[in-house]
Amino acid sequence: MMTADELRELCTALRAKERFTDDPLVDRLEADVRAYRDVLAADPTPLPPAELAERLPLMGWMIYETSWDCVQRISTSFDRHATAPDDREQSGAELDRVRRIANCARGLPWPEFAPRALGALRALALAESKRDTEQGYDAAWMLHVESRNKNAEFRDGYGSGDASRSHRLRLEEVFVQLALAETGTACRTAERVIARWAEEFEDPERPDWSRSEQERWIQRVFRELTDGVAVGEIAIATVYRIRDELGFADKVDEHRLTQGTAFQNPGIMTARAASLLLALRPAMRSLGRNHPPEFESWELWEKATLDRFVRAYRAIEEDVPGKTEMDAGFQRQLVHVRLNLALLKPGFDLPSRRADNLPCLAINPLSDDAVEAMSAHLGGPSGKGRERALGAATMPLFIRSLVECRGSGPDDRGYQTWRIKWFSLDQYSNEEGRLDRVRWALDAAG
C-alpha cells in the first residue's frame, strides 16, 4: 500500500499539474483499494483501523484528483463520427481510466472517511456527458443521482460531536462540487441540443418526426434544468454556510476544498439553467403541459424563476477575499448570463455591483443599449465571448418560445435582428454554412 506521505505527495503533484494520471497509477489505486478491503475482511470493524485512518482521506483525495485529471483530456463530442480518430481513441482511453477510478471509489471500505472519492462519480458523469449523445447524457444523470445519494448516506451516518461536525463539513465541500457538475450537465445537455439542432437532429425529409423530437427534447431538458436550478441553489446556500462557519481556504489541500471563488461557478451555472428555463416556458405551455404543481399559474412560476435567476446572479457578483477585481473568465460569464436575461426580458431591472470594472453592466434596466454594449464587450479581440444556447439556438421550437418569452408582441424581431448582427457570438460561427443554418432556423421559427 502507498504510505500516507506517498499519497499526499502524489495528490499535491496532480493538483499542481506536475504529475498526470496514467494506467500504472490507476493500477496502484486498484491494488491499494483491494488491500484496504483485505484489511476489512480480516477484521470487520465499524471504524477504520489505525493503519488506514490517515490513508483513507488521502486516498479519497487521490481518487478525486486522478479522475478529474483524466476528464481534462477528454474531447468534447468525442463519441461522434465527426471527431478525429485520434481524439476518439485518446478520449476513450481516458474515459476507461475514469470508469476504473470510479469503481475504486465504489469499492472503498469505510467510504465515509474518504468523502472526496465521490468526486470520481462526478468526473465520470462529466466524461459521459462529453460524449454528447443521448446515451451519454442518460449515463451522466444516473451518476449524478448516485453521487448525491451516497453523499447524503454518508452525512446521515455521522453522529454528534466535533469530529462528526468536521466530517459533515468535508462532505458539504464535496457536495458543492457534485452539485456544480449536476447543474452543469443540465445546462450542457440543453445547450448542446438547442444549438446543434440544425446539424445533428433536424431531418428535412421527416418534418413530422422533427417536430415531435423537438417537443420531446423541450420537455426533457425542462425537467433536467428544473432539477439543475434546485441543486444549484442548494450548492450556493452551502457555500454561504461554509464561508460563515469555516471561511474559505487559500488553496486546495488535504484538509480543505472551498476557495474564495466558490460562489462564482455555482452562480453561473444556476443562472444559466434558470435563463434556459425561462425561455422554455411558452413552449411548455403551448404543448399543453401544466405548470409545476407548487405554483398556481405559469405566470407565478415565471416570477419565481426570475427571482431565482437574480439570486444566482448575485452569487456570481459576491466579493472574493483579497481581490478587488473579478477574474477575467468569471467577468465574461457574468456578462453572458446578464445578456441572456436582457434577450429574454427586455426592460428588466437588474442593478450590478460590478459596473465599476465592467462599464457594459452599468446600463440598467436591460434595454437594447444594454444588449448592444454587452454584445460588443463579448465580441472584443479576445475571441472568447461566444454564446451557447440563446445566442446559438437553431431549434425552431425553442427560438419561437424564446421570442414569445420576451413579451414584446408577435411583431417583435429584436432577437432575430440581434442574432444576425452578432452572428460572430454564435459558438459555432466559424463552421462552414453555419450562418445559412441559423437563417433557416429563424425562418422556421416564424
Side-chain angles (χ1 to χ4, degrees):
M1 289 187 287
M2 286 181 275
T3 66
D5 284 341
E6 285 179 298
L7 288 167
R8 190 175 289 112
E9 289 171 8
L10 278 167
C11 290
T12 303
L14 284 160
R15 166 68 45 173
K17 304 298 182 186
E18 296 168 354
R19 176 74 162 84
F20 299 96
T21 306
D22 53 19
D23 285 334
L25 183 53
V26 179
D27 291 342
R28 293 182 74 185
L29 288 178
E30 291 173 331
D32 275 22
V33 170
R34 287 194 296 270
Y36 291 7
R37 292 179 68 83
D38 289 343
V39 171
L40 174 63
D43 184 18
T45 59
L47 298 176
E51 65 181 304
L52 293 184
E54 185 181 10
R55 285 187 175 104
L56 270 168
L58 290 166
M59 175 57 77
W61 186 19
M62 182 76 155
I63 287 171
Y64 181 100
E65 295 292 350
T66 51
S67 59
W68 181 246
D69 177 52
C70 291
V71 170
Q72 307 313 297
R73 291 188 295 279
I74 297 178
S75 299
T76 300
S77 304
F78 72 90
D79 209 18
R80 292 187 171 275
H81 294 301
T83 307
D86 288 348
D87 279 351
R88 283 206 302 274
E89 184 176 352
Q90 171 67 27
S91 296
E94 298 293 352
L95 175 58
D96 286 342
R97 291 189 187 102
V98 180
R99 285 172 173 158
R100 291 172 63 192
I101 297 167
N103 284 333
C104 287
R106 293 181 175 115
L108 274 174
W110 305 285
E112 65 272 24
F113 293 93
R116 288 192 196 178
L118 292 177
L121 301 181
R122 169 201 67 158
L124 182 53
L126 294 173
E128 293 283 6
S129 72
K130 279 191 168 188
R131 291 161 59 188
D132 280 323
T133 62
E134 189 163 5
Q135 293 78 12
Y137 299 143
D138 289 343
W141 277 108
M142 289 188 287
L143 287 157
H144 289 311
V145 171
E146 180 185 356
S147 64
R148 192 165 9 110
N149 288 345
K150 285 183 180 294
N151 186 275
E153 176 188 330
F154 296 166
R155 184 183 61 247
D156 293 343
Y158 292 132
S160 59
D162 290 342
S164 294
R165 176 176 174 274
S166 175
H167 283 306
R168 279 195 295 271
L169 287 170
R170 286 184 178 185
L171 271 173
E172 289 200 331
E173 290 198 308
V174 173
F175 172 79
V176 172
Q177 301 304 315
L178 302 180
L180 177 60
E182 186 170 344
T183 305
T185 293
C187 291
R188 179 184 182 84
T189 304
E191 290 167 349
R192 177 77 189 183
V193 173
I194 289 164
R196 301 302 281 171
W197 189 266
E199 289 87 359
E200 299 173 4
F201 298 90
E202 181 66 21
D203 188 345
E205 297 182 359
R206 302 167 64 195
D208 291 342
W209 177 88
S210 295
R211 171 72 190 195
S212 65
E213 278 295 280
Q214 289 183 67
E215 294 174 353
R216 181 175 73 85
W217 275 105
I218 286 288
Q219 293 172 81
R220 170 175 174 157
V221 298
F222 185 89
R223 292 192 300 270
E224 293 175 357
L225 289 164
T226 298
D227 291 344
V229 170
V231 75
E233 288 180 315
I234 298 171
I236 293 169
T238 303
V239 175
Y240 278 113
R241 188 163 56 250
I242 290 169
R243 182 194 65 182
D244 295 342
E245 294 189 25
L246 281 180
F248 292 130
D250 293 330
K251 64 176 182 178
V252 173
D253 58 20
E254 64 187 281
H255 305 292
R256 296 294 310 279
L257 272 177
T258 310
Q259 296 178 276
T261 56
F263 284 111
Q264 274 69 51
N265 276 327
I268 289 163
M269 289 296 183
T270 306
R272 277 169 57 187
S275 64
L276 285 160
L277 273 179
L278 288 165
L280 291 170
R281 177 190 61 82
M284 290 290 288
R285 189 169 58 182
S286 73
L287 295 175
R289 300 306 303 263
N290 291 329
H291 47 79
E294 61 270 33
F295 299 97
E296 293 182 2
S297 67
W298 275 114
E299 288 71 24
L300 289 173
W301 173 89
E302 181 178 78
K303 182 180 183 301
T305 305
L306 279 165
D307 290 343
R308 299 170 87 180
F309 176 96
V310 172
R311 288 196 295 271
Y313 181 88
R314 297 292 177 226
I316 307 169
E317 292 197 329
E318 281 284 352
D319 293 329
V320 176
K323 291 188 176 182
T324 57
E325 257 190 64
M326 185 182 287
D327 172 84
F330 289 141
Q331 286 185 2
R332 191 165 56 248
Q333 293 299 324
L334 178 64
V335 177
H336 272 297
V337 297
R338 187 180 177 89
L339 175 59
N340 282 348
L341 191 65
L343 291 169
L344 285 169
K345 290 296 172 186
F348 192 84
D349 182 28
L350 186 64
S352 172
R353 293 181 60 240
R354 297 290 178 174
D356 289 345
N357 300 125
L358 289 168
C360 68
L361 304 186
I363 304 173
N364 189 62
L366 300 177
S367 62
D368 290 344
D369 288 342
V371 169
E372 192 70 12
M374 288 186 283
S375 301
H377 175 84
L378 293 171
S382 70
K384 296 180 179 178
R386 292 185 176 168
E387 278 277 322
R388 292 182 174 90
L390 271 64
T394 61
M395 179 193 279
L397 181 55
F398 176 83
I399 294 171
R400 190 178 306 125
S401 184
L402 185 163
V403 171
E404 185 177 341
C405 183
R406 287 166 57 84
S408 300
D411 296 328
D412 172 32
R413 302 291 296 177
Y415 171 76
Q416 294 91 325
T417 301
W418 175 83
R419 276 299 303 280
I420 299 303
K421 179 177 181 179
W422 289 100
F423 170 70
S424 60
L425 295 183
D426 186 310
Q427 186 180 8
Y428 305 102
S429 61
N430 61 338
E431 294 183 1
E432 185 177 353
R434 176 67 177 181
L435 180 57
D436 290 337
R437 291 188 290 275
V438 168
R439 290 185 187 279
W440 165 83
L442 296 174
D443 289 343

